[in-house]
Amino acid sequence: MRLHVFEPITFAAMAEIGTDIQKAARLLKRGKLVAIPTETVYGLAANAFNEEAVLSIFEAKNRPHFDPLIVHSSSAEWVKQHVANIPPIAQTLMDEFWPGPLTLVLPKKPVVPDVVTSGLDSVAVRVPQHPMTQDLIRLLDFPLAAPSANPFGYVSPTTAQHVEDQLGDKVDYILDGGSTTVGLESTIIGFEEAKPVVYRLGGLSIDVIEDLIGPVEMGLNMSSDPKAPGMLKSHYAPGKPLYFGNPGEMITEFEGKRIGFLGFMTRLEFLPPNRQLLLSPRGDLHEAAVNLFAFMREFEKFPVDLILAEKLPEIGLGRAINDRLRRAAVNS
Ligand code: AMP
Ligand code: MG
């Protein structure tokens, strides 16, 4: 009889998912990593003033050190302790949109460590809106450095389970605040010679910003500007090749392949319905943003070889959604 030798099976320790804000605070005070819910996407948070803790964020995500982090505080008042100067337009934006999905890049004070800003003399700051994370930050006497809680280059997480699936063995606790209500990363605005410049399209649409402060410039060459590595090409990639554009035109290239369709409002008649996901059948761009990243992940479980993603209208949040799809695509 043949003896079977069983390989020992090792399971990576998974993180606890829970709603214990006190526990999250205790861990963060000890320099640990905690995944936090925000209105945009889940963040991978650490004490922004603890260099070792911040370094462990980069390690857990496999994120290059030249890609700076956003510092999250509980109020605009508190942010003033971290930035050297607030141009009047930045103040107007803070007053109107904080807490909310807007990040401002401002000159930093020395109290913000270089590891957070990748050595830049500016720091990205934001006051997030999620009530649990607001309560959490209020228990701390330091702000939280927090990039999105996903491996570098991959789709951002919009639920606690997404974080568990990908970083469960690298984070000490996942604070579960439900599905995110905006679903896209924050819009990032910097200032060049006091003029507002968009570094990243995101959860606050540019139209809304322009209604308040007038026209804003798009950052030059946002996709390769070292100031904004969040804009790197080939970012936000799902586990299957995604092609972005006009599905009717693209489909001819993929004969014999099992095609999935990520559409806006209307299904494609020539594909089986169970291989299609619509971001918002009623045509609501906010709903489309909320669904985007979760649907990109869904396709991993679908019996498809590739994803065709339809371009959405280039208005409001549609611009930021198209930006993410373009960046996730292999054909752009
Ligand atoms: P994430 O936290 O993954 O959403 O990425 C944060 C992004 O904020 C980075 O990838 C940069 O694009 C941007 N960012 C952070 N700090 C700065 C800064 N000092 N100057 C310009 N952009 C910044
Ligand atoms: Mg990110």
Side-chain angles (χ1 to χ4, degrees):
M1 198 181 91
R2 203 169 151 226
L3 275 180
H4 290 273
V5 178
F6 291 100
E7 292 283 328
I9 301 170
T10 47
F11 292 101
M14 296 309 278
E16 186 189 339
I17 300 182
T19 56
D20 188 344
I21 295 171
Q22 299 285 345
K23 176 171 182 165
R26 277 196 305 277
L27 288 165
L28 288 163
K29 285 177 192 170
R30 285 170 40 212
K32 303 287 187 187
L33 294 184
V34 173
I36 56 166
T38 82
E39 75 279 29
T40 59
V41 300
Y42 273 71
L44 182 62
N47 177 350
F49 293 161
N50 178 335
E51 292 192 22
E52 222 170 290
V54 173
L55 283 172
S56 64
I57 294 179
F58 286 93
E59 222 165 277
K61 279 186 61 100
N62 204 10
R63 177 175 173 119
H65 289 271
F66 61 74
D67 192 358
L69 306 179
I70 297 172
V71 174
H72 296 72
S73 300
S74 57
S75 69
E77 240 355 86
W78 204 18
V79 167
K80 287 181 185 152
Q81 296 178 26
H82 313 142
V83 302
N85 169 43
I86 300 178
I89 298 174
Q91 186 65 54
T92 305
L93 291 169
M94 286 177 177
D95 293 344
E96 182 71 17
F97 297 119
W98 279 0
L102 174 69
T103 294
L104 299 174
V105 175
L106 297 168
K108 85 175 187 79
K109 280 190 176 159
V111 66
V112 181
D114 283 342
V115 284
V116 172
T117 63
S118 304
L120 295 171
D121 52 16
S122 57
V123 60
V125 287
R126 180 165 106 81
V127 175
Q129 199 173 39
H130 197 289
M132 277 172 107
T133 290
Q134 287 237 338
D135 288 349
L136 171 64
I137 303 176
R138 275 195 283 265
L139 292 175
L140 306 170
D141 58 5
F142 49 82
L144 294 176
S148 50
N150 53 301
F152 183 71
Y154 194 77
V155 180
S156 294
T158 55
T159 67
Q161 190 60 47
H162 292 164
V163 182
E164 180 80 291
D165 291 346
Q166 291 197 299
L167 293 180
D169 58 338
K170 303 210 168 71
V171 30
D172 296 284
Y173 189 64
I174 302 172
L175 194 58
D176 188 352
S179 292
T180 60
T181 54
V182 172
L184 294 176
E185 298 84 353
S186 57
T187 300
I188 304 181
I189 305 267
F191 297 86
E192 293 173 12
E193 284 151 22
K195 277 209 212 109
V197 176
V198 179
Y199 290 159
R200 175 173 76 185
L201 297 171
L204 182 66
S205 75
I206 301 303
D207 316 17
V208 174
I209 293 172
E210 290 187 329
D211 282 348
L212 184 71
I213 59 170
V216 292
E217 268 174 51
M218 287 292 140
L220 276 182
N221 204 5
M222 287 196 295
S223 59
S224 61
D225 187 341
K227 274 201 210 102
M231 301 302 292
L232 286 173
K233 265 190 115 192
S234 173
H235 221 68
Y236 311 100
K240 292 193 177 159
L242 181 145
Y243 294 82
F244 174 60
N246 178 333
E249 285 168 17
M250 292 189 291
I251 202 146
T252 51
E253 295 171 37
F254 300 112
E255 228 167 282
K257 297 266 191 211
R258 296 172 306 168
I259 297 169
F261 175 58
L262 179 60
F264 180 35
M265 297 172 67
T266 328
R267 285 184 197 284
L268 298 179
E269 278 178 12
F270 46 88
L271 285 183
N274 63 353
R275 292 186 193 166
Q276 307 192 44
L277 288 173
L278 296 180
L279 290 168
S280 176
R282 62 191 161 101
D284 176 345
L285 289 167
H286 177 261
E287 182 182 39
V290 168
N291 288 331
L292 179 69
F293 291 144
F295 283 11
M296 283 164 75
R297 284 168 191 264
E298 275 289 295
F299 275 110
E300 269 157 51
K301 299 181 220 134
F302 280 31
V304 300
D305 303 316
L306 57 96
I307 309 160
L308 295 188
E310 177 179 42
K311 188 174 176 199
L312 274 67
E314 272 283 317
I315 48 166
L317 290 178
R319 286 174 73 182
I321 296 171
N322 287 336
D323 168 82
R324 299 304 186 270
L325 288 171
R326 196 173 292 119
R327 229 167 280 287
V330 293
N331 66 329
S332 64

